[in-house]
Amino acid sequence: MLSARSLLPKVVRQSVATRFSSTLVIAEHDDAKLAPITLNTITAAQKLGSDVSVLVTGANATKIAAEVAKVAGVKKVLVAQDEKLKNNLPERVAPVVLASHKQFNFSSIVAGASAFGRSIIPRVAGKLDCSPISDVTEIHSADTFTRTQYAGNAIVKVQSLAPVKLMTFRGTSFSPAAEGGSGAVENAPAGDINTSSSEFISQELSKSERPDLTTAKIVVSGGRGVKSSENFKLIFDLADKLGAGVGASRAAVDAGFVHNDMQVGQTGKIVAPELYIAVGISGAIQHLAGMKDSKVIVAINKDPDAPIFQVADYGLKADLFKAVPEMIAAL
Amino acid sequence: MRVLVGVKRVIDYAVKVRVKPDKTGVVTENVQHSMNPFDEIALEEAVKMKEKKIAKEVVAISLGGPKSQEILRTALAKGADKAIHVEVPDADVSKIEPLHVAKVLQKIVDKEKFDVVFLGKQAIDDDAAQTAPLLAGLLDWPQALYASKVEKAEDGYLQVVREIDGGLDTVKVKVPTVLSADLRLNEPRYATLPNIMKAKKKPMEKLSAKDLGVNDPPVRKAGGFVEDVPILIEKLKEKGFIKA
């Protein structure tokens, strides 16, 4: 029962079957445009060394599919357009994925490690009786991968012996796939979609003119030191000067300064921008997990012993209420 | 409605983990362990459902070595009615994957007829975030992950507000269902001394259930302090982040 069927330390030679392998990427979108993480996932999928197909499900899938077909490296796009698939509930997407898998027998089924990907991939894995692998950051071969554990404090190399590799990829670890493809678009086989077990009611998305946190080149984050939601305007102003996305520590979110979809960290968003400016953030293990792969880290904090300074390339020991306005004025 | 809550014994969130010298895992001996924070939140919500008379019984379950019983006693002290310990020899604990846990939970659910399985969204040790959706797939039940609010909808349904990437969404799921708890669902209660004493008398059922190369992540070195804002701006200009 507990024999580790899918993870063994010893090296197993790749089976011959992988030569005829193919990967299915489950596309993420909001019925209007493709989610950027899908492009990172397509790049990762190509590293598995097999043909890449993309499945687009939804109420408005045909339009998105045309967009996906133009992505470099995409050989085939499967479209499942159905009103029942509006909002892509996992209970309804899973049967379509399974029907497609039954027809094409993919060697890997993958998605981005977003709320969507993390909902659908393990559900499909349960149906296929395979151990999935979450949040893969590196691909060594078609069956050997790297992922992080313990809030990024341990890196694990895993080998999957599962007949189908079900994985989610960390978006920030793979570059987005470029345009320049001409994949063939065809209809996905119909899945047996059950509509009685779950229903989408509504959503309330935070509106922001700023760059998306997970793909922004520069991110400015505020923590508990910002002290109030009014003061957070400082962080927004600095971000606007730099054309940056805005993030927050869990402490700032829990204190109600900003909305929780801005949380950077182990259980929030993982970001790896060119420049990360941490303002009034002490740098708990869980926060570092979400940003320590940033190229350059700047920390502004009153406390010279704050752990954030141990990972910062440039530390500024200063009162943020003085330093940030100074920076804004200087830019 | 009977609710099954999965609780996992993990290294305490405040501990800085160390990778073993032989790279086979992290050091777990003599390290402070506690209940996975997200499981505490799931348990709190289940107990609240009982207090609101939505749920009739709350059962806590844990897979792991003998010390998992401490975590189960904590769950009982916080309001679970009964505990199930699925014992796994300490030597095998590191080999358990979410799929194994989901299969054990599936067996328990089939045997004991639970209506809701409530789990944390992820364990802070393996960071997999898989057990809840795996179990939902195995049972073919609907799932509502990353819950930040759980309410009773019309008879036989629960309405759940979920934390998603761009904000929040609301879904309705038909019972039986699998839920997972996010950080902001509630504020877990502390176990009081009288409740800890009472927990010792609550039933605990014992069952048994019959390649990892771990590397340290590259260490970031501290750069150094800059004197003031103008120098910081200068440095960022040198790096090309700011147009000169």
mmCIF file of all heavy atoms in Angstrom, chain A residues 1 6 8-9 91 123 127 129 131 134 150 155 157 197 199 202 204 254 263 266-267 294 312-313, chain B residues 97 103 121 125-128 130 140-141 143 165-166 168 170 172 174 184 210-211 215 220 223 226:
data_model
loop_
_atom_site.group_PDB
_atom_site.id
_atom_site.type_symbol
_atom_site.label_atom_id
_atom_site.label_comp_id
_atom_site.label_asym_id
_atom_site.label_seq_id
_atom_site.Cartn_x
_atom_site.Cartn_y
_atom_site.Cartn_z
ATOM 1 N N MET A 1 0.843 -1.207 0.000
ATOM 2 C CA MET A 1 0.000 0.000 0.000
ATOM 3 C C MET A 1 0.865 1.237 0.000
ATOM 4 O O MET A 1 0.661 2.158 -0.756
ATOM 5 C CB MET A 1 -0.922 -0.100 1.207
ATOM 6 C CG MET A 1 -1.284 1.170 1.899
ATOM 7 S SD MET A 1 -2.667 1.951 1.092
ATOM 8 C CE MET A 1 -2.183 3.632 1.223
ATOM 9 N N SER A 6 5.686 5.787 -7.261
ATOM 10 C CA SER A 6 6.007 6.815 -8.239
ATOM 11 C C SER A 6 7.328 7.508 -7.980
ATOM 12 O O SER A 6 7.818 8.223 -8.801
ATOM 13 C CB SER A 6 4.897 7.841 -8.265
ATOM 14 O OG SER A 6 4.818 8.416 -7.002
ATOM 15 N N LEU A 8 11.161 6.712 -6.760
ATOM 16 C CA LEU A 8 12.181 5.812 -6.277
ATOM 17 C C LEU A 8 13.525 6.487 -6.415
ATOM 18 O O LEU A 8 13.776 7.185 -7.391
ATOM 19 C CB LEU A 8 12.179 4.521 -7.102
ATOM 20 C CG LEU A 8 11.067 3.521 -6.764
ATOM 21 C CD1 LEU A 8 11.167 2.320 -7.663
ATOM 22 C CD2 LEU A 8 11.160 3.069 -5.312
ATOM 23 N N PRO A 9 14.400 6.282 -5.435
ATOM 24 C CA PRO A 9 15.692 6.955 -5.519
ATOM 25 C C PRO A 9 16.571 6.405 -6.639
ATOM 26 O O PRO A 9 17.420 7.095 -7.148
ATOM 27 C CB PRO A 9 16.300 6.701 -4.141
ATOM 28 C CG PRO A 9 15.566 5.557 -3.568
ATOM 29 C CD PRO A 9 14.223 5.533 -4.207
ATOM 30 N N GLU A 91 -14.705 20.036 -11.713
ATOM 31 C CA GLU A 91 -15.549 18.839 -11.856
ATOM 32 C C GLU A 91 -15.987 18.660 -13.312
ATOM 33 O O GLU A 91 -16.325 17.563 -13.732
ATOM 34 C CB GLU A 91 -16.814 18.939 -10.991
ATOM 35 C CG GLU A 91 -16.580 19.013 -9.495
ATOM 36 C CD GLU A 91 -16.204 20.415 -9.024
ATOM 37 O OE1 GLU A 91 -16.112 21.345 -9.863
ATOM 38 O OE2 GLU A 91 -15.977 20.579 -7.813
ATOM 39 N N ARG A 123 -6.936 16.408 -9.380
ATOM 40 C CA ARG A 123 -8.233 15.741 -9.547
ATOM 41 C C ARG A 123 -8.149 14.704 -10.674
ATOM 42 O O ARG A 123 -8.610 13.571 -10.525
ATOM 43 C CB ARG A 123 -9.332 16.763 -9.840
ATOM 44 C CG ARG A 123 -10.713 16.124 -9.868
ATOM 45 C CD ARG A 123 -11.847 17.105 -10.068
ATOM 46 N NE ARG A 123 -13.097 16.365 -10.103
ATOM 47 C CZ ARG A 123 -13.901 16.226 -9.059
ATOM 48 N NH1 ARG A 123 -13.608 16.782 -7.914
ATOM 49 N NH2 ARG A 123 -15.016 15.514 -9.167
ATOM 50 N N LYS A 127 -8.229 10.369 -10.705
ATOM 51 C CA LYS A 127 -8.982 9.542 -11.651
ATOM 52 C C LYS A 127 -8.072 8.534 -12.358
ATOM 53 O O LYS A 127 -8.499 7.450 -12.712
ATOM 54 C CB LYS A 127 -9.626 10.433 -12.724
ATOM 55 C CG LYS A 127 -10.712 11.333 -12.188
ATOM 56 C CD LYS A 127 -12.017 10.604 -12.200
ATOM 57 C CE LYS A 127 -13.152 11.524 -11.813
ATOM 58 N NZ LYS A 127 -14.224 10.754 -11.186
ATOM 59 N N ASP A 129 -5.212 7.426 -11.095
ATOM 60 C CA ASP A 129 -4.432 6.691 -10.107
ATOM 61 C C ASP A 129 -2.928 6.938 -10.256
ATOM 62 O O ASP A 129 -2.135 6.002 -10.279
ATOM 63 C CB ASP A 129 -4.739 5.191 -10.225
ATOM 64 C CG ASP A 129 -4.251 4.433 -8.991
ATOM 65 O OD1 ASP A 129 -3.955 5.104 -7.985
ATOM 66 O OD2 ASP A 129 -4.152 3.197 -9.039
ATOM 67 N N SER A 131 0.435 9.577 -8.998
ATOM 68 C CA SER A 131 0.885 10.625 -8.077
ATOM 69 C C SER A 131 1.274 11.861 -8.875
ATOM 70 O O SER A 131 2.163 11.783 -9.710
ATOM 71 C CB SER A 131 2.117 10.146 -7.303
ATOM 72 O OG SER A 131 1.756 9.770 -6.005
ATOM 73 N N SER A 134 3.699 18.737 -7.866
ATOM 74 C CA SER A 134 3.275 20.135 -7.838
ATOM 75 C C SER A 134 4.434 21.080 -8.027
ATOM 76 O O SER A 134 5.515 20.848 -7.488
ATOM 77 C CB SER A 134 2.658 20.479 -6.475
ATOM 78 O OG SER A 134 1.542 19.696 -6.226
ATOM 79 N N TYR A 150 9.126 22.770 2.055
ATOM 80 C CA TYR A 150 9.435 23.560 3.248
ATOM 81 C C TYR A 150 9.640 25.034 2.902
ATOM 82 O O TYR A 150 10.681 25.619 3.192
ATOM 83 C CB TYR A 150 10.675 23.005 3.966
ATOM 84 C CG TYR A 150 10.440 21.643 4.568
ATOM 85 C CD1 TYR A 150 10.782 20.488 3.877
ATOM 86 C CD2 TYR A 150 9.849 21.506 5.818
ATOM 87 C CE1 TYR A 150 10.549 19.233 4.414
ATOM 88 C CE2 TYR A 150 9.616 20.257 6.370
ATOM 89 C CZ TYR A 150 9.964 19.123 5.667
ATOM 90 O OH TYR A 150 9.740 17.893 6.207
ATOM 91 N N ILE A 155 15.273 21.713 -1.662
ATOM 92 C CA ILE A 155 14.981 21.453 -3.068
ATOM 93 C C ILE A 155 15.025 19.952 -3.276
ATOM 94 O O ILE A 155 15.981 19.295 -2.869
ATOM 95 C CB ILE A 155 16.009 22.163 -3.965
ATOM 96 C CG1 ILE A 155 15.776 23.677 -3.864
ATOM 97 C CG2 ILE A 155 15.879 21.706 -5.400
ATOM 98 C CD1 ILE A 155 16.669 24.479 -4.742
ATOM 99 N N LYS A 157 14.732 16.577 -5.750
ATOM 100 C CA LYS A 157 14.752 16.051 -7.110
ATOM 101 C C LYS A 157 13.919 14.778 -7.069
ATOM 102 O O LYS A 157 14.182 13.893 -6.265
ATOM 103 C CB LYS A 157 16.199 15.740 -7.495
ATOM 104 C CG LYS A 157 16.427 15.640 -8.985
ATOM 105 C CD LYS A 157 17.928 15.654 -9.247
ATOM 106 C CE LYS A 157 18.226 15.377 -10.690
ATOM 107 N NZ LYS A 157 19.677 15.315 -10.906
ATOM 108 N N SER A 197 -23.355 18.545 -9.645
ATOM 109 C CA SER A 197 -22.595 18.452 -8.392
ATOM 110 C C SER A 197 -21.984 19.781 -7.968
ATOM 111 O O SER A 197 -21.704 19.994 -6.800
ATOM 112 C CB SER A 197 -21.510 17.387 -8.510
ATOM 113 O OG SER A 197 -20.468 17.843 -9.338
ATOM 114 N N GLU A 199 -21.621 24.239 -9.003
ATOM 115 C CA GLU A 199 -22.151 25.336 -9.792
ATOM 116 C C GLU A 199 -21.354 26.591 -9.476
ATOM 117 O O GLU A 199 -21.039 26.861 -8.320
ATOM 118 C CB GLU A 199 -23.622 25.529 -9.402
ATOM 119 C CG GLU A 199 -24.422 26.369 -10.343
ATOM 120 C CD GLU A 199 -25.833 26.575 -9.790
ATOM 121 O OE1 GLU A 199 -26.403 25.618 -9.208
ATOM 122 O OE2 GLU A 199 -26.329 27.691 -9.915
ATOM 123 N N SER A 202 -20.494 33.271 -8.610
ATOM 124 C CA SER A 202 -20.050 34.622 -8.946
ATOM 125 C C SER A 202 -18.565 34.747 -8.679
ATOM 126 O O SER A 202 -17.961 33.871 -8.069
ATOM 127 C CB SER A 202 -20.783 35.649 -8.077
ATOM 128 O OG SER A 202 -20.427 35.447 -6.723
ATOM 129 N N GLU A 204 -15.410 37.913 -7.827
ATOM 130 C CA GLU A 204 -15.165 39.313 -7.557
ATOM 131 C C GLU A 204 -13.654 39.481 -7.674
ATOM 132 O O GLU A 204 -12.895 39.034 -6.826
ATOM 133 C CB GLU A 204 -15.721 39.595 -6.159
ATOM 134 C CG GLU A 204 -15.132 40.658 -5.369
ATOM 135 C CD GLU A 204 -15.639 40.604 -3.925
ATOM 136 O OE1 GLU A 204 -16.362 39.669 -3.512
ATOM 137 O OE2 GLU A 204 -15.275 41.520 -3.222
ATOM 138 N N ASP A 254 -3.257 40.336 6.382
ATOM 139 C CA ASP A 254 -4.051 39.986 7.565
ATOM 140 C C ASP A 254 -4.513 41.228 8.327
ATOM 141 O O ASP A 254 -5.574 41.233 8.943
ATOM 142 C CB ASP A 254 -3.256 39.068 8.495
ATOM 143 C CG ASP A 254 -3.186 37.644 7.967
ATOM 144 O OD1 ASP A 254 -3.799 37.375 6.907
ATOM 145 O OD2 ASP A 254 -2.543 36.800 8.588
ATOM 146 N N GLN A 263 -0.854 38.825 -1.829
ATOM 147 C CA GLN A 263 0.109 38.219 -0.901
ATOM 148 C C GLN A 263 1.216 37.464 -1.626
ATOM 149 O O GLN A 263 0.961 36.609 -2.469
ATOM 150 C CB GLN A 263 -0.606 37.261 0.051
ATOM 151 C CG GLN A 263 0.323 36.683 1.115
ATOM 152 C CD GLN A 263 -0.409 35.766 2.070
ATOM 153 O OE1 GLN A 263 -1.513 36.062 2.491
ATOM 154 N NE2 GLN A 263 0.203 34.659 2.419
ATOM 155 N N GLN A 266 4.946 31.701 0.572
ATOM 156 C CA GLN A 266 4.771 30.250 0.449
ATOM 157 C C GLN A 266 3.350 29.897 0.039
ATOM 158 O O GLN A 266 3.140 29.028 -0.796
ATOM 159 C CB GLN A 266 5.110 29.577 1.789
ATOM 160 C CG GLN A 266 4.973 28.062 1.794
ATOM 161 C CD GLN A 266 5.190 27.462 3.174
ATOM 162 O OE1 GLN A 266 5.168 28.168 4.173
ATOM 163 N NE2 GLN A 266 5.415 26.164 3.229
ATOM 164 N N THR A 267 2.384 30.545 0.664
ATOM 165 C CA THR A 267 1.003 30.184 0.371
ATOM 166 C C THR A 267 0.295 31.290 -0.399
ATOM 167 O O THR A 267 -0.910 31.274 -0.559
ATOM 168 C CB THR A 267 0.219 29.864 1.659
ATOM 169 O OG1 THR A 267 0.106 31.071 2.407
ATOM 170 C CG2 THR A 267 0.905 28.805 2.470
ATOM 171 N N SER A 294 14.167 36.442 -6.967
ATOM 172 C CA SER A 294 14.227 37.710 -7.693
ATOM 173 C C SER A 294 15.690 38.011 -8.027
ATOM 174 O O SER A 294 16.586 37.668 -7.268
ATOM 175 C CB SER A 294 13.662 38.844 -6.829
ATOM 176 O OG SER A 294 12.387 38.500 -6.342
ATOM 177 N N ALA A 312 18.988 40.597 0.838
ATOM 178 C CA ALA A 312 18.904 41.798 0.007
ATOM 179 C C ALA A 312 20.245 42.133 -0.622
ATOM 180 O O ALA A 312 21.283 42.040 0.029
ATOM 181 C CB ALA A 312 18.413 42.974 0.844
ATOM 182 N N ASP A 313 20.205 42.517 -1.897
ATOM 183 C CA ASP A 313 21.423 42.985 -2.546
ATOM 184 C C ASP A 313 21.726 44.407 -2.098
ATOM 185 O O ASP A 313 22.877 44.787 -1.959
ATOM 186 C CB ASP A 313 21.233 42.936 -4.070
ATOM 187 C CG ASP A 313 20.965 41.518 -4.531
ATOM 188 O OD1 ASP A 313 21.935 40.752 -4.607
ATOM 189 O OD2 ASP A 313 19.792 41.173 -4.778
ATOM 190 N N GLU B 97 2.942 9.710 0.042
ATOM 191 C CA GLU B 97 2.613 10.802 -0.871
ATOM 192 C C GLU B 97 1.136 11.147 -0.712
ATOM 193 O O GLU B 97 0.359 10.345 -0.203
ATOM 194 C CB GLU B 97 2.864 10.341 -2.312
ATOM 195 C CG GLU B 97 4.327 10.102 -2.602
ATOM 196 C CD GLU B 97 4.511 9.304 -3.877
ATOM 197 O OE1 GLU B 97 3.661 9.427 -4.784
ATOM 198 O OE2 GLU B 97 5.486 8.557 -3.953
ATOM 199 N N LYS B 103 -5.979 7.906 -0.791
ATOM 200 C CA LYS B 103 -6.566 6.557 -0.877
ATOM 201 C C LYS B 103 -7.021 6.051 0.488
ATOM 202 O O LYS B 103 -8.054 5.388 0.598
ATOM 203 C CB LYS B 103 -5.559 5.585 -1.497
ATOM 204 C CG LYS B 103 -5.453 5.755 -3.003
ATOM 205 C CD LYS B 103 -4.519 4.726 -3.597
ATOM 206 C CE LYS B 103 -4.608 4.796 -5.112
ATOM 207 N NZ LYS B 103 -3.608 3.925 -5.736
ATOM 208 N N LYS B 121 -5.428 23.508 2.782
ATOM 209 C CA LYS B 121 -5.145 23.634 1.349
ATOM 210 C C LYS B 121 -3.802 23.025 0.975
ATOM 211 O O LYS B 121 -3.620 22.553 -0.123
ATOM 212 C CB LYS B 121 -5.231 25.088 0.879
ATOM 213 C CG LYS B 121 -4.036 25.959 1.184
ATOM 214 C CD LYS B 121 -4.034 27.203 0.282
ATOM 215 C CE LYS B 121 -2.969 28.172 0.730
ATOM 216 N NZ LYS B 121 -2.841 29.317 -0.170
ATOM 217 N N ASP B 125 5.031 21.319 4.908
ATOM 218 C CA ASP B 125 6.300 20.606 4.725
ATOM 219 C C ASP B 125 6.537 20.257 3.250
ATOM 220 O O ASP B 125 7.490 20.707 2.649
ATOM 221 C CB ASP B 125 6.395 19.368 5.632
ATOM 222 C CG ASP B 125 5.196 18.429 5.519
ATOM 223 O OD1 ASP B 125 4.309 18.679 4.685
ATOM 224 O OD2 ASP B 125 5.161 17.435 6.271
ATOM 225 N N ASP B 126 5.597 19.489 2.643
ATOM 226 C CA ASP B 126 5.856 19.130 1.243
ATOM 227 C C ASP B 126 5.288 20.129 0.238
ATOM 228 O O ASP B 126 5.584 20.045 -0.953
ATOM 229 C CB ASP B 126 5.375 17.707 0.936
ATOM 230 C CG ASP B 126 3.860 17.553 1.035
ATOM 231 O OD1 ASP B 126 3.152 18.581 1.105
ATOM 232 O OD2 ASP B 126 3.390 16.410 1.035
ATOM 233 N N ASP B 127 4.453 21.071 0.730
ATOM 234 C CA ASP B 127 3.909 22.130 -0.133
ATOM 235 C C ASP B 127 3.228 21.579 -1.388
ATOM 236 O O ASP B 127 3.223 22.222 -2.433
ATOM 237 C CB ASP B 127 5.020 23.114 -0.552
ATOM 238 C CG ASP B 127 5.349 24.111 0.548
ATOM 239 O OD1 ASP B 127 4.508 24.306 1.436
ATOM 240 O OD2 ASP B 127 6.451 24.687 0.517
ATOM 241 N N ALA B 128 2.642 20.379 -1.293
ATOM 242 C CA ALA B 128 2.087 19.748 -2.492
ATOM 243 C C ALA B 128 0.727 20.324 -2.884
ATOM 244 O O ALA B 128 0.451 20.518 -4.059
ATOM 245 C CB ALA B 128 1.980 18.238 -2.284
ATOM 246 N N GLN B 130 -2.196 18.830 -2.815
ATOM 247 C CA GLN B 130 -2.802 17.850 -3.719
ATOM 248 C C GLN B 130 -3.880 16.994 -3.086
ATOM 249 O O GLN B 130 -4.769 16.511 -3.792
ATOM 250 C CB GLN B 130 -1.717 16.875 -4.236
ATOM 251 C CG GLN B 130 -0.667 17.506 -5.100
ATOM 252 C CD GLN B 130 0.472 16.538 -5.395
ATOM 253 O OE1 GLN B 130 0.532 15.445 -4.821
ATOM 254 N NE2 GLN B 130 1.367 16.930 -6.266
ATOM 255 N N ASP B 140 -14.986 10.949 -6.775
ATOM 256 C CA ASP B 140 -15.867 11.570 -7.747
ATOM 257 C C ASP B 140 -16.863 12.516 -7.067
ATOM 258 O O ASP B 140 -18.021 12.589 -7.430
ATOM 259 C CB ASP B 140 -16.602 10.504 -8.577
ATOM 260 C CG ASP B 140 -16.843 11.003 -9.994
ATOM 261 O OD1 ASP B 140 -16.452 12.149 -10.279
ATOM 262 O OD2 ASP B 140 -17.429 10.270 -10.799
ATOM 263 N N TRP B 141 -16.377 13.231 -6.078
ATOM 264 C CA TRP B 141 -17.173 14.234 -5.386
ATOM 265 C C TRP B 141 -16.775 15.611 -5.891
ATOM 266 O O TRP B 141 -15.644 15.796 -6.353
ATOM 267 C CB TRP B 141 -16.885 14.184 -3.880
ATOM 268 C CG TRP B 141 -17.476 13.013 -3.160
ATOM 269 C CD1 TRP B 141 -18.143 11.944 -3.693
ATOM 270 C CD2 TRP B 141 -17.427 12.790 -1.735
ATOM 271 N NE1 TRP B 141 -18.502 11.088 -2.687
ATOM 272 C CE2 TRP B 141 -18.085 11.578 -1.483
ATOM 273 C CE3 TRP B 141 -16.886 13.505 -0.669
ATOM 274 C CZ2 TRP B 141 -18.220 11.063 -0.202
ATOM 275 C CZ3 TRP B 141 -17.014 13.000 0.617
ATOM 276 C CH2 TRP B 141 -17.683 11.788 0.849
ATOM 277 N N GLN B 143 -15.476 19.483 -5.474
ATOM 278 C CA GLN B 143 -14.440 20.020 -4.591
ATOM 279 C C GLN B 143 -14.585 21.533 -4.525
ATOM 280 O O GLN B 143 -14.973 22.164 -5.496
ATOM 281 C CB GLN B 143 -13.055 19.659 -5.150
ATOM 282 C CG GLN B 143 -12.787 20.270 -6.531
ATOM 283 C CD GLN B 143 -11.531 19.726 -7.201
ATOM 284 O OE1 GLN B 143 -11.347 18.514 -7.316
ATOM 285 N NE2 GLN B 143 -10.665 20.632 -7.638
ATOM 286 N N ASP B 165 -6.568 33.346 -7.880
ATOM 287 C CA ASP B 165 -5.455 34.241 -8.205
ATOM 288 C C ASP B 165 -5.857 35.699 -8.332
ATOM 289 O O ASP B 165 -5.158 36.582 -7.881
ATOM 290 C CB ASP B 165 -4.781 33.780 -9.502
ATOM 291 C CG ASP B 165 -4.072 32.449 -9.290
ATOM 292 O OD1 ASP B 165 -3.667 32.193 -8.150
ATOM 293 O OD2 ASP B 165 -3.941 31.689 -10.253
ATOM 294 N N GLY B 166 -6.991 35.974 -8.969
ATOM 295 C CA GLY B 166 -7.341 37.367 -9.220
ATOM 296 C C GLY B 166 -8.249 37.984 -8.178
ATOM 297 O O GLY B 166 -8.643 39.135 -8.292
ATOM 298 N N LEU B 168 -11.643 36.668 -5.588
ATOM 299 C CA LEU B 168 -12.471 35.643 -4.942
ATOM 300 C C LEU B 168 -13.491 35.115 -5.938
ATOM 301 O O LEU B 168 -13.920 35.833 -6.835
ATOM 302 C CB LEU B 168 -13.226 36.245 -3.751
ATOM 303 C CG LEU B 168 -12.403 36.834 -2.618
ATOM 304 C CD1 LEU B 168 -13.284 37.637 -1.676
ATOM 305 C CD2 LEU B 168 -11.683 35.736 -1.843
ATOM 306 N N THR B 170 -17.200 32.447 -5.939
ATOM 307 C CA THR B 170 -18.155 31.734 -5.095
ATOM 308 C C THR B 170 -18.701 30.554 -5.883
ATOM 309 O O THR B 170 -19.120 30.725 -7.030
ATOM 310 C CB THR B 170 -19.322 32.662 -4.689
ATOM 311 O OG1 THR B 170 -18.772 33.845 -4.114
ATOM 312 C CG2 THR B 170 -20.229 31.992 -3.670
ATOM 313 N N LYS B 172 -21.056 26.721 -5.595
ATOM 314 C CA LYS B 172 -21.987 25.936 -4.801
ATOM 315 C C LYS B 172 -21.656 24.478 -5.074
ATOM 316 O O LYS B 172 -21.548 24.087 -6.241
ATOM 317 C CB LYS B 172 -23.414 26.265 -5.254
ATOM 318 C CG LYS B 172 -24.461 25.921 -4.237
ATOM 319 C CD LYS B 172 -25.793 26.536 -4.607
ATOM 320 C CE LYS B 172 -26.404 25.771 -5.767
ATOM 321 N NZ LYS B 172 -27.738 26.257 -6.109
ATOM 322 N N LYS B 174 -22.440 20.292 -4.164
ATOM 323 C CA LYS B 174 -23.430 19.364 -3.627
ATOM 324 C C LYS B 174 -22.755 18.440 -2.623
ATOM 325 O O LYS B 174 -21.684 17.903 -2.887
ATOM 326 C CB LYS B 174 -24.005 18.547 -4.785
ATOM 327 C CG LYS B 174 -25.219 17.734 -4.429
ATOM 328 C CD LYS B 174 -25.763 17.063 -5.679
ATOM 329 C CE LYS B 174 -27.006 16.260 -5.359
ATOM 330 N NZ LYS B 174 -27.564 15.673 -6.584
ATOM 331 N N ARG B 184 -7.496 32.535 5.462
ATOM 332 C CA ARG B 184 -8.368 33.548 6.042
ATOM 333 C C ARG B 184 -9.791 33.053 6.293
ATOM 334 O O ARG B 184 -10.719 33.829 6.393
ATOM 335 C CB ARG B 184 -8.358 34.790 5.158
ATOM 336 C CG ARG B 184 -7.176 35.678 5.496
ATOM 337 C CD ARG B 184 -6.867 36.674 4.429
ATOM 338 N NE ARG B 184 -6.087 36.047 3.382
ATOM 339 C CZ ARG B 184 -4.760 35.946 3.424
ATOM 340 N NH1 ARG B 184 -4.089 36.425 4.430
ATOM 341 N NH2 ARG B 184 -4.116 35.359 2.453
ATOM 342 N N LYS B 210 -0.783 -0.749 5.550
ATOM 343 C CA LYS B 210 0.432 -1.462 5.106
ATOM 344 C C LYS B 210 1.037 -0.724 3.865
ATOM 345 O O LYS B 210 0.239 -0.453 3.024
ATOM 346 C CB LYS B 210 0.248 -2.907 4.706
ATOM 347 C CG LYS B 210 -0.364 -3.783 5.686
ATOM 348 C CD LYS B 210 0.693 -4.789 6.136
ATOM 349 C CE LYS B 210 0.122 -5.700 7.105
ATOM 350 N NZ LYS B 210 0.360 -5.688 8.314
ATOM 351 N N ASP B 211 12.429 9.201 -4.537
ATOM 352 C CA ASP B 211 13.747 9.341 -4.729
ATOM 353 C C ASP B 211 14.079 10.752 -4.599
ATOM 354 O O ASP B 211 13.792 11.580 -5.369
ATOM 355 C CB ASP B 211 13.999 8.811 -6.081
ATOM 356 C CG ASP B 211 14.874 9.595 -6.865
ATOM 357 O OD1 ASP B 211 15.260 10.686 -6.578
ATOM 358 O OD2 ASP B 211 15.199 9.032 -7.860
ATOM 359 N N ASN B 215 18.350 18.697 -1.974
ATOM 360 C CA ASN B 215 19.495 19.617 -2.038
ATOM 361 C C ASN B 215 19.177 20.927 -1.352
ATOM 362 O O ASN B 215 18.044 21.363 -1.335
ATOM 363 C CB ASN B 215 19.841 19.914 -3.491
ATOM 364 C CG ASN B 215 20.413 18.701 -4.174
ATOM 365 O OD1 ASN B 215 21.280 18.053 -3.631
ATOM 366 N ND2 ASN B 215 19.903 18.385 -5.354
ATOM 367 N N ARG B 220 21.487 32.869 -0.967
ATOM 368 C CA ARG B 220 21.667 34.254 -1.415
ATOM 369 C C ARG B 220 22.570 34.941 -0.418
ATOM 370 O O ARG B 220 22.368 34.843 0.780
ATOM 371 C CB ARG B 220 20.320 34.973 -1.399
ATOM 372 C CG ARG B 220 19.614 35.005 -2.701
ATOM 373 C CD ARG B 220 18.513 36.037 -2.655
ATOM 374 N NE ARG B 220 18.911 37.276 -3.297
ATOM 375 C CZ ARG B 220 18.528 37.624 -4.512
ATOM 376 N NH1 ARG B 220 17.769 36.833 -5.213
ATOM 377 N NH2 ARG B 220 18.909 38.763 -5.030
ATOM 378 N N GLY B 223 24.012 41.645 0.165
ATOM 379 C CA GLY B 223 24.827 42.586 -0.590
ATOM 380 C C GLY B 223 25.479 43.520 0.407
ATOM 381 O O GLY B 223 26.578 43.291 0.895
ATOM 382 N N VAL B 226 23.187 50.549 1.825
ATOM 383 C CA VAL B 226 23.525 51.798 1.148
ATOM 384 C C VAL B 226 23.242 52.935 2.123
ATOM 385 O O VAL B 226 22.419 52.795 3.034
ATOM 386 C CB VAL B 226 22.710 51.975 -0.159
ATOM 387 C CG1 VAL B 226 23.173 50.999 -1.221
ATOM 388 C CG2 VAL B 226 21.223 51.792 0.087
#
